[in-house]
């Protein structure tokens, strides 16, 4: 039985022309050979399986060719080329840095560098996976790499350039190898299939190329695996069954259910896919890629980004015509969010189903697709009965109109205007004089509408009872009566507000204005947060819609602070005259 050689080795490139997907780099290397501009050190970096080591070997063979052909290729006929092809050349040395990464290995290499070649002009040293060298080995290699003998050329290959010391990078010419495109890999696979006498459907080769993810070596390995499964006749169905790849048909069916808003059909399709053993994360990532492919198919300019076969391309273009751009944007976003949350989710299937339900709800009405959203604004209160026809009710004014009125009122400070019903006017902060025994720290009048908005509520006017615009007169005794009545009606949940209202009573001022003196910011905040309900209750009970409220914090002067016992007694006796009688009856003295 003849020894079997895998396709990755059998069809490994032996000339620059046979290298797949790296035309720019191979052209640069051939031009350097033809012109004799050879550097002493090269660094080939890029993903796995893209031809780094193969290009290094072809380069080493070509520069030692005794009779190079036109175009910078080796002749493959001279003694140097034959020895290379038969793997007996002494001019090429390969070192695997993954297993030979110590200082001693590098010292052994530098000692071999001194020996000139027996045949040919150059000795080429290929160090694969050079990023695996230790820091000490790199340092031991620096001097030789910078000033090698004229007959020595170093080619370093790595998949992780960022791990190499900058001192090494600065001594090399750097060549970045790119991933191989799907079209290039399909073309190469078709060549291999025809050489081996194997029939293959183009769609099947596209699936293999997509599975390889830019690596030609991976594509050839997958190709051999599929050939063994199909016995020489590669079909699309056989490839997706063997590689456990989700068929395009499932994605088309799910998309059809989403466009139709059919949640139940979508859930059944998802269950069918899961029963076939596919991982949920692969499903959602594939669905996101499917939506992306539909998006790029909608425009001829972006169609070049879509890499599939011709037959499936037409199906994508047909379905892309049924999808709006806005729908695809949101669908990609939802699928990507599900992919990010999948690993941390405890109920992964529910997460997939929830995402599918959200996708089915994305089909919007034509007005929403055009970006036209209707905004419905509910009035905060019904129009007042006495309002003139066509005039907007006071309780349903817009914020902009209310703010404009407040600004105009503040701008005309000397003019006294009638306050709006149920509102607290806004006046600037006043610094009181220190002639009195007590001083007012701050006085701030704020619109009740603004106070409600600061606390995340709607306008307090919405909570006020409908009081006719009346100016019924009332006394301070009436004000205190209903103030206490409101405080006594409060429940246990508002015990702090109840105590504050009992201890901080209002005094009646001009133009139906009341002033409430509080002793700390906590009491002020408590009244401010409930000012709409308090004022509304008083307006209703007193039948006066023009009541306004001022709140101030009173700070006691230091002169009124009590320090001695006599001062304490005099203060308490002033509050309660019975202390004098108690003192006289028991013949007490204050020390």
């Amino acid at each position: 039985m003849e020894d079997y050689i895998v396709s990755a080795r059998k069809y490994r490139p032996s000339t620059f022309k046979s290298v797949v997907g790296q035309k720019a780099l191979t052209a640069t290397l051939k031009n350097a050979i033809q012109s004799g501009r050879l550097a002493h050190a090269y660094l080939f970096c890029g993903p796995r399986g893209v031809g780094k080591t193969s290009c290094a070997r072809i380069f080493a063979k070509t520069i030692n060719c005794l009779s190079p052909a036109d175009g910078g290729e080796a002749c493959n006929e001279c003694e140097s080329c034959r020895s290379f092809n038969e793997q007996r050349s002494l001019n090429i040395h390969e070192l695997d840095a993954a297993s030979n990464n110590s200082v001693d290995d590098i010292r052994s290499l530098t000692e071999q560098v001194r020996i000139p070649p027996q045949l040919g002009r150059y000795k080429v040293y290929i160090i694969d996976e050079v990023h695996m060298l230790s820091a000490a080995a790199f340092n031991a290699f620096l001097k030789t790499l910078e000033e090698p003998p004229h007959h020595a050329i170093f080619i370093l290959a790595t998949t992780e350039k960022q791990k190499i010391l900058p001192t090494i990078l600065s001594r090399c010419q750097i060549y970045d190898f790119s991933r191989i495109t799907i079209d290039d890999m399909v073309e190469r696979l078709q060549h291999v299939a025809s050489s081996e006498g194997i029939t293959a459907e183009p769609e099947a080769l596209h699936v293999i190329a997509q599975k390889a993810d830019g690596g030609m070596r991976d594509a050839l390995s997958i190709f051999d695996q599929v050939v063994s499964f199909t016995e020489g006749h590669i079909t699309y169905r056989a490839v997706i069954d063997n590689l456990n790849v989700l068929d395009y048909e499932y994605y088309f069916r799910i998309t059809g259910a989403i466009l139709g808003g059919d949640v139940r059909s979508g859930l059944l399709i998802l269950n069918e896919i899961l029963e076939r053993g596919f991982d949920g994360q692969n499903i959602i990532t594939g669905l996101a890629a499917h939506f992306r492919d539909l998006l790029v198919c909608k425009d001829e300019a972006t169609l070049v980004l879509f890499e599939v076969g011709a037959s499936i391309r037409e199906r994508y273009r047909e379905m892309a015509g049924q999808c709006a751009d806005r729908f695809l944007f949101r669908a990609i976003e939802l699928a990507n969010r599900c992919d990010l949350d999948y690993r941390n989710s405890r109920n992964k299937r529910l997460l997939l189903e929830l995402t599918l339900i959200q996708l089915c709800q994305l089909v919007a009405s034509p007005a929403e697709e055009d970006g036209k959203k209707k905004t419905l604004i509910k009035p905060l209160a019904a129009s007042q009965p006495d309002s003139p026809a066509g005039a907007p009710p006071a309780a349903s004014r817009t914020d902009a109109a209310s703010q404009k009125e407040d600004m105009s009122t503040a701008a005309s400070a000397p003019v006294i205007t009638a306050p709006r019903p149920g509102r607290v006017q806004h006046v600037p902060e006043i610094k009181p004089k220190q002639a009195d025994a007590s001083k007012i720290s701050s006085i701030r009048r704020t619109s009740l509408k603004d106070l409600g908005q600061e606390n995340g509520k709607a306008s307090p006017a919405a909570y006020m009872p409908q009081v006719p615009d009346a100016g019924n007169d009332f006394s301070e005794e009436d004000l205190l009566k209903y103030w206490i009545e409101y405080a006594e009606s409060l429940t246990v949940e508002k015990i702090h507000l109840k105590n504050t209202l009992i201890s901080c009573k209002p005094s009646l001022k001009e133009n139906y204005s009341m002033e409430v003196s509080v002793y700390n910011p906590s009491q002020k905040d408590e009244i401010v947060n409930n000012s709409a309900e308090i004022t509304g209750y008083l307006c209703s009970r007193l039948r006066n819609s023009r009541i306004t409220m001022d709140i101030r914090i009173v700070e006691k002067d230091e002169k009124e602070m009590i320090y001695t016992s006599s001062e304490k007694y005099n203060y308490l006796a002033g509050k309660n005259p019975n202390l004098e009688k108690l003192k006289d009856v028991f013949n007490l003295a204050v020390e």
Side-chain angles (χ1 to χ4, degrees), residues 109-148:
L109 177 66
T110 55
E111 290 176 358
Q112 297 178 14
V113 170
R114 302 175 184 175
I115 305 174
Q118 301 298 319
L119 181 65
R121 298 175 56 189
Y122 300 99
K123 270 194 171 184
V124 181
Y125 297 87
I126 302 173
I127 304 178
D128 203 7
E129 302 297 333
V130 69
H131 65 274
M132 298 294 289
L133 289 178
S134 63
F138 270 128
N139 293 328
F141 189 43
L142 279 177
K143 189 63 177 177
T144 303
L145 186 64
E146 184 176 13
E147 298 179 358

Side-chain angles (χ1 to χ4, degrees), residues 504-569:
C504 303
K505 297 181 177 61
S507 59
L508 185 61
K509 303 297 181 182
E510 296 179 355
N511 296 328
Y512 308 115
S513 174
M514 60 177 176
E515 182 180 86
V516 183
S517 300
V518 296
Y519 302 100
N520 53 65
S522 176
Q523 292 179 334
K524 177 183 177 182
D525 294 340
E526 196 69 33
I527 296 179
V528 167
N529 293 337
N530 298 274
S531 57
E533 291 82 357
I534 297 172
T535 310
Y537 184 85
L538 295 176
C539 289
S540 176
R541 299 292 286 169
L542 296 171
R543 300 193 61 78
N544 190 313
S545 59
R546 303 176 185 177
I547 298 176
T548 59
M549 179 170 56
D550 297 338
I551 305 172
R552 68 172 185 173
I553 298 178
V554 178
E555 294 183 358
K556 296 295 183 180
D557 197 342
E558 293 182 359
K559 294 183 179 180
E560 292 189 353
M561 298 300 294
I562 302 173
Y563 297 104
T564 64
S565 299
S566 59
E567 289 176 340
K568 293 179 181 178
Y569 172 75

Side-chain angles (χ1 to χ4, degrees), residues 290-306:
H290 177 73
F291 289 137
R292 176 262 181 193
D293 292 340
L294 289 174
L295 182 63
V296 300
C297 283
K298 289 182 67 66
D299 193 345
E300 292 293 336
T302 57
L303 195 58
V304 296
L305 303 176
F306 187 49

